[in-house]
DNA sequence: CGTTGATTTGAAACACGTCAATTCTTGTGG
DNA sequence: CCACAAGAATTGACGTGTTTCAAATCAACG
């Protein structure tokens, strides 16, 4: 892998969470494309052991916009109790859940984790800001390219390797702010431009440099 | 005022910062529409005493997207060292600056502030997420309406009172992801719909309920 | 092997961007 | 306090990227 894995503080947070917080340990296997209703009920936090989790804002009219993704090893710390925010699985996932009380209790026992969690929060904010910039002044195809680049990095996949993209085109649209119809056309265009090669949902990047240039992708914000 | 002011933890953070961190106290008066180059050089944090500060991402091609705003009493904590993120004043502002070393030192002396700062970070993340949702599935006029509602709330202004909007239409465009030309048209449309009344940059909301409904604004995410 | 959901493709409508010119503000120096 | 310059707001015409609607094909799964 040419990419560094997750930053150290993310790893630290995950290890602390899985060792000290998720107690009583509640590990669940969630099917793909399912809202995690447990989490909303207990107002808790979770660790993505494997799979992929989306944080999606749902409009009154049913429109949906994903505002964050959590890859394996990353935490979902509740930052917004808004009723119209859903936590959903993208693919089959294994998750460690906890309620907010246990989370707070474990934190007060180990206050040095506060600063680690603050770093994790800063990273989440940096990613959200990058998404905002992306959705602001990039066109549809660049936004998709950017998401591909980010996914490769956050999953620690080498660009030369195939990436089994867990997203449906509908979900890609919810993340990048466009319709699934347009996602389809843009993905086809990425293929025609020889930047990627597709076989179903599997993706191989044929021209990483070209893809990052199109997306104006700079991985600095992931650390 | 029918709105609560800033959340308590935001006030706590501001008081702690201004009392213990900004030392040697470095208070600057910055003119409107100026990048705060000091901040980038020292890699520090700042407190907005008065005025308004924007965090803006700048594209290689010169396109700009504002990813965050800081109103009086709010902190700018550096969360991203990326070179293409600018901290700029929107209007004449008074700011307390500090470098990152002093910030960290003061924090280690008062570790209970960690959790306060984490709350502040969570609020920033919640706001960024709301902005993401807004830019994803709302049209241009709703995005503007949403920003107006948020500004009223974060500035603690009563909707019946006039709000001196510090933004140029160019800046409104950078925040809501559209061109200044379109901002102009949408503002005129808000006026024709009798939701607001304009006199130069001063704004009075004539129909707060209608405005919030158009924006689908729910202030919960600000707390 | 049929049903359900995902992908793909086409045609038409429209929101928004781009370009350009004019008027109006705002700020500054004489 | 006025004159001037620089920037901001406003308006129109036109182009285009994206959405919408609709239908057909393809893949997954019981």
């Amino acid at each position: 892998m040419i990419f560094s894995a997750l930053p150290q503080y993310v790893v630290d947070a995950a290890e602390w969470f899985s060792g000290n917080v998720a107690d009583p340990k509640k590990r669940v296997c969630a099917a793909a494309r399912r809202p995690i209703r447990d989490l909303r009920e207990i107002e808790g936090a979770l660790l993505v052991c494997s799979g992929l989790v989306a944080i999606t804002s749902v409009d009154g009219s049913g429109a949906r916009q994903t505002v964050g993704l959590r890859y394996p090893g990353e935490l979902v710390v509740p930052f917004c109790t808004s009723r119209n925010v859903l936590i959903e699985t993208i693919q089959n996932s294994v998750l460690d859940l906890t309620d907010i009380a246990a989370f707070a209790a474990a934190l007060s026992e180990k206050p040095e984790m506060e600063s680690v969690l603050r770093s994790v929060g800063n990273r989440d904010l940096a990613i959200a800001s990058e998404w905002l910039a992306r959705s602001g002044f990039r066109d549809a195809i660049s936004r998709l390219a950017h998401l591909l680049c980010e996914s490769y990095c956050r999953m620690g996949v080498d660009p030369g390797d195939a990436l089994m993209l867990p997203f449906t085109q509908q979900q890609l649209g919810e993340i990048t702010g466009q319709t699934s119809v347009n996602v389809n056309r843009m993905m086809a265009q990425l293929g025609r431009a020889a930047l990627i090669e597709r076989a179903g949902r599997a993706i191989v990047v044929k021209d990483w440099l070209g893809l990052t240039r199109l997306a104006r992708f700079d991985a600095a914000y992931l650390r």
Side-chain angles (χ1 to χ4, degrees), chain A:
Chain A
M1 282 198 303
I2 66 166
F3 294 109
S4 61
L6 295 170
Q8 188 57 43
Y9 54 82
V10 173
V11 176
D12 291 344
E15 285 176 355
W16 165 76
F17 185 93
S18 113
N20 303 300
V21 181
D23 177 66
K25 177 142 336 215
K26 190 169 175 187
R27 171 162 294 197
V28 303
C29 298
R33 270 152 292 181
R34 284 262 151 67
I36 305 170
R37 80 178 117 42
D38 290 343
L39 192 71
R40 291 187 63 193
E41 282 163 4
I42 64 178
E43 290 267 323
L46 69 80
L47 170 69
V48 181
C49 303
S50 71
L52 189 51
V53 167
I55 305 167
T56 302
S57 177
V58 181
D59 198 79
S61 61
R64 294 159 53 90
Q65 170 69 43
T66 297
V67 299
L69 291 171
R70 295 296 182 271
Y71 291 80
E74 299 181 343
L75 284 177
V76 176
V77 181
F79 58 85
C80 187
T81 57
S82 175
R83 282 291 135 245
N84 55 357
V85 171
L86 292 179
I87 315 283
E88 295 181 325
T89 52
I90 293 285
Q91 59 181 154
N92 294 343
S93 304
V94 178
L95 313 171
D96 280 349
L97 299 182
T98 189
D99 60 280
I100 199 73
F103 188 85
L107 197 50
S108 67
E109 265 175 36
K110 209 162 189 176
E112 62 266 36
M113 292 310 298
E114 285 275 11
S115 113
V116 173
L117 286 177
R118 207 158 52 81
S119 296
V120 170
N122 278 342
R123 179 172 182 262
D124 290 339
L125 182 57
I127 293 173
S129 299
E130 187 76 16
W131 284 29
L132 260 174
R134 167 176 93 186
S135 79
F137 49 52
R138 300 251 212 289
D139 58 9
I141 195 169
S142 310
R143 294 202 298 274
L144 267 179
H146 190 279
L147 176 64
L148 289 186
C149 293
E150 185 180 301
S151 291
Y152 264 84
C153 286
R154 285 173 80 175
M155 297 180 80
V157 177
D158 186 292
D161 294 345
L163 172 64
M164 194 54 199
L165 251 205
F167 308 106
T168 65
Q169 293 184 352
Q170 176 68 39
Q171 291 169 327
L172 287 174
E174 288 170 10
I175 299 166
T176 57
Q178 55 191 306
T179 59
S180 62
V181 172
N182 208 49
V183 167
N184 183 280
R185 287 193 247 259
M186 295 301 106
M187 290 297 279
Q189 198 171 321
L190 284 175
R192 277 197 303 274
L195 295 174
I196 63 174
E197 226 166 55
R198 297 184 299 155
R201 285 189 203 160
I203 296 224
V204 183
V205 174
K206 303 302 283 183
D207 178 3
W208 176 254
L209 192 62
L211 195 65
T212 55
R213 202 156 35 206
L214 173 61
R216 288 207 172 81
F217 180 77
D218 174 3
Y221 70 97
L222 292 174
R223 281 172 244 129

